[in-house]
Amino acid sequence: MEIDPDIVKEFEELEVSSKMPKLKNFDENFLLKPLNETNNATHPTYRTIPKFFHAPPSASNTLRQSLRKEAHSLFLQKRSQDFLLDNDELNSLWTTLEKNCTQVTPLGQQLIGYDDYLKVMKAISPKNRKYLTSRLFAKLQCHSGYPGKVELISIFNYTMRKVWLTQGRIGLSFYDDVGQGFLREIDMENYIIDIIPTLAQISSCVQPSFQSFYVCTVVKKFFFFLDPLHTGRIRIRDILASGLLTELLELRDEESSKESHEHNWFSMPSVLTVYGNYLNLDKDHNGMLSKQELADYGSGTLTSVFLDRVFDECRTFDGEMDYKTFLDFVLALDNRHEPQSLHYLFRILDVQHKGYLTVQTLHYFFKGIQEQIRAVNAEAVNFEDLKDEIFDMVKSKDPCKITLQDLVNCGQAETVVSILIEFHKFWAYENREEGERLADDQEQK
């Protein structure tokens, strides 16, 4: 192929310089033309629709960044003053409600009718009035068992809940540097660090050397459940709606039962248990977990096929798993019934990344179960029977494929996943009828 002589000549005459070349016939405003056309648009709608998107300042523009943060902080402080009720204001609201009580039932329930509710609305402060509206009374009356009346405690509980949500939203928004209603992982870590002194059950026992591990464990649960697609940020409204923040702030109460500690992921006993398991698995004490070390997790019967896929799909460092990746793994296996955990596990099961599981996929993971069946000299299991049972449980739309949505919808996802990845779960499922018979025999005795 011959090169055009004119191109060769131009290339030879090309001068390389560190200075910006002056191009002939170059219109400097050409690149800004589309922007200027938008700003100077004459379409009628531009007169009635105001500009509603303002791009956040770039990271290099420190002056605008500082101005934005200061304005955001002042706005949140004003919202706090205008909307949040302190203890005195809440006590005053309850006193006013009791004074205007319409009826007391034989069971001691205090009720209020709409006429007396209007009196309360006039008597309370303007700040309280933002919570008690006619719309609220109508909504509560729909769920009230007393025609035309609402329980006082329902009104007060609603107000308390609303105040708490507003307080939580404002508190979290202080850590939203961008001001778009999202928190990044670093923002969430800063929030947790700042509230640790207010958590009576944590501040009294957490050591400075362990604080980073505690914060990491707490933040990981928020992002595991609220950011399953790994976008790197979670919405503040999702944090408030999830109930996770409520679970965390329960640790402010100094007097709580030991049972509540065991079921609260954020409690110090729970965090120490997870961290202790990680240290116990780390046989070579290098701070990371190899595939062989992770094989001892839980019952110690996770199949080698499943573990291979975990290390294929999850983030590792030189073929070993760090503490953050281990936390995702633990949360997925401990909450197999949750959609977020199923999303995590389905990604591992979907060997070919097709978005669905086939008979071949099921057989691939069943090989891991077969290895352990042979290891304990147990009776062989027919794969065809197991495959039919799985498809019967899932009831997938396509009789030859199982999608993530099929698993979520079937209500049997925890069982299906467990019998494919863990031998002792598979064996318990395979011998479930015998277990039920023994349980019945014990009840009869």
Side-chain angles (χ1 to χ4, degrees), residues 164 221 243-251 263-266:
W164 183 88
K221 182 167 185 177
L244 294 176
L245 189 61
T246 304
E247 187 179 350
L248 174 63
L249 296 182
E250 285 176 359
L251 301 176
H263 295 90
N264 190 333
W265 171 270
F266 306 118

Side-chain angles (χ1 to χ4, degrees), residues 218-355:
V218 170
V219 171
K220 180 53 71 174
K221 182 167 185 177
F222 279 93
F223 274 82
F224 180 85
F225 284 103
L226 304 181
D227 182 31
L229 299 180
H230 303 286
T231 62
R233 61 181 191 173
I234 50 180
R235 297 194 304 175
I236 291 176
R237 64 168 62 184
D238 290 340
I239 296 174
L240 296 171
S242 67
L244 294 176
L245 189 61
T246 304
E247 187 179 350
L248 174 63
L249 296 182
E250 285 176 359
L251 301 176
R252 289 177 173 176
D253 185 9
E254 295 183 6
E255 299 179 359
S256 58
S257 63
K258 185 178 179 181
E259 183 180 353
S260 65
H261 286 180
E262 295 174 354
H263 295 90
N264 190 333
W265 171 270
F266 306 118
S267 70
M268 188 56 69
S270 294
V271 173
L272 289 174
T273 298
V274 175
Y275 186 67
N277 287 339
Y278 183 78
L279 294 180
N280 291 333
L281 292 171
D282 183 18
K283 304 298 184 184
D284 57 7
H285 307 292
N286 68 341
M288 309 283 280
L289 298 182
S290 66
K291 194 182 303 181
Q292 293 71 25
E293 290 171 333
L294 188 63
D296 291 332
Y297 175 79
S299 64
T301 61
L302 291 170
T303 67
S304 59
V305 175
F306 172 68
L307 291 173
D308 287 341
R309 286 291 300 147
V310 169
F311 278 79
D312 286 342
E313 291 294 327
C314 298
R315 184 182 182 186
T316 58
F317 302 86
D318 295 327
E320 295 196 319
M321 180 183 289
D322 70 345
Y323 184 59
K324 284 188 175 182
T325 307
F326 175 73
L327 289 174
D328 280 334
F329 180 79
V330 172
L331 285 165
L333 292 185
D334 286 356
N335 302 274
R336 300 180 202 188
H337 59 285
E338 297 288 348
Q340 296 87 344
S341 299
L342 294 176
H343 184 277
Y344 175 98
L345 294 168
F346 189 86
R347 180 165 55 94
I348 294 170
L349 294 174
D350 185 12
V351 179
Q352 297 178 322
H353 303 101
K354 291 184 176 180

Side-chain angles (χ1 to χ4, degrees), residues 40-56:
N40 299 324
T42 57
H43 194 278
T45 58
Y46 281 89
R47 300 194 196 98
T48 55
I49 302 177
K51 184 177 180 180
F52 55 84
F53 174 74
H54 301 272

Side-chain angles (χ1 to χ4, degrees), residues 357-364 383-384 387 391 399-401:
L357 309 181
T358 62
V359 174
Q360 290 74 20
T361 309
L362 301 184
H363 189 263
Y364 175 77
F383 169 73
E384 291 298 322
K387 178 257 297 182
F391 274 93
C400 299
K401 301 175 183 177

Side-chain angles (χ1 to χ4, degrees), residues 396-410:
S396 56
K397 292 183 178 180
D398 188 320
C400 299
K401 301 175 183 177
I402 297 175
T403 66
L404 173 60
Q405 197 58 50
D406 290 331
L407 277 178
V408 173
N409 294 340
C410 75

